Amino acid sequence: MAKQNDLRNVRRDYESMGITKSDLAEDPFAQFDAWLKEAIDADVFDATAMTLATADSGGVPSARVVLLKHFDENGFCWYTDSRSQKGTDLAQNPSAALLFYWREFSRQIRIVGEVSPLSPTAADEYFYQRPEGSRFSAASSHQTSEIDNRAALETRVKELMTQYPDGSVPRPDAWIGYCLKPREFEFWQGKSNRLHDRIIYLPTERAWRKTRRSP
């Protein structure tokens, strides 16, 4: 019988002031902005990192960390290769979830919604703002496809750099942006003894309705 790696005693207690419905803004986008700014101002490492969870047409889940690049009342946006696992999943099943976790504040934000592609213009605008090295890496990689070795990938980057010595490598058609339009937010604040606070925002015809869920 395989030896069990026992992690049952690996834990920490959460200490915070907690949150109530009245503490949070009426608009979840405003509340998200406030918490994100607190994380950025506190120099939280990778404050804009979010776990993106998708599922294919058969319901098989997949998750990975991506970076939030911009957001407004229309949704939360990121960029990637549409030929990747996440791109393939979203083409089959556009429902997805985002998770932000800021350990330093014992906070999480969960966002669930529908995902749609951004325009090629939006993809161009962000692609050409990226550092040169990142542009060449994106142009050289067919994300998630099998490769023989790393050397083959690095060789492709060098070939593109020779082809575009001024750095003007074109954006691949498959490298696009996505936007998740929320249908639910959850703001989670860790509390002692695992009696955490969970405030949920759900849309109504006129505004967002706040409710509390049991931890």
Side-chain angles (χ1 to χ4, degrees), residues 46-196:
D46 284 340
T48 62
M50 58 187 186
T51 299
L52 166 64
T54 59
D56 65 18
S57 58
V60 178
S62 179
R64 75 291 293 158
V65 176
V66 299
L67 297 179
L68 176 69
K69 288 305 172 184
H70 50 90
F71 73 95
D72 57 24
E73 67 277 2
N74 294 312
F76 296 81
C77 304
W78 67 94
Y79 296 83
T80 190
D81 191 326
S82 61
R83 300 166 296 185
S84 62
Q85 178 68 56
K86 52 190 172 296
T88 301
D89 284 354
L90 291 170
Q92 300 175 25
N93 177 5
S95 292
L98 304 175
L99 170 65
F100 293 85
Y101 175 57
W102 300 302
R103 181 189 182 281
E104 292 82 352
F105 291 94
S106 298
R107 287 175 177 172
Q108 298 182 64
I109 301 177
R110 295 174 56 241
I111 307 170
V112 179
E114 300 297 310
V115 178
S116 57
L118 294 172
S119 69
T121 300
D124 280 341
E125 182 179 353
Y126 176 63
F127 184 80
Y128 293 111
Q129 289 178 354
R130 302 182 86 202
E132 183 177 294
S134 297
R135 297 199 305 274
F136 278 105
S137 293
S140 66
S141 174
H142 180 154
Q143 194 175 122
T144 309
S145 64
E146 185 174 335
I147 58 175
D148 292 333
N149 50 53
R150 183 176 179 85
L153 192 60
E154 293 175 344
T155 296
R156 178 57 180 157
V157 171
K158 291 177 181 178
E159 291 172 350
L160 287 173
M161 287 182 168
T162 300
Q163 186 176 354
Y164 301 98
D166 61 352
S168 61
V169 61
R171 174 182 66 84
D173 291 339
W175 196 92
I176 65 174
Y178 291 93
C179 184
L180 182 143
K181 185 175 181 62
R183 63 173 180 263
E184 179 180 316
F185 288 80
E186 177 183 313
F187 290 81
W188 181 97
Q189 180 69 69
K191 290 283 291 177
S192 61
N193 300 316
R194 298 300 191 265
L195 203 63
H196 310 308

Side-chain angles (χ1 to χ4, degrees), residues 18-27 31 197-201 209-213:
I19 53 174
T20 66
K21 289 190 289 184
S22 61
D23 289 330
L24 303 187
E26 295 304 310
D27 178 75
Q31 186 59 51
D197 287 325
R198 298 174 64 192
I199 306 299
I200 314 302
Y201 288 78
R209 177 175 65 90
K210 286 185 285 186
T211 186
R212 176 180 284 271
R213 286 181 183 165

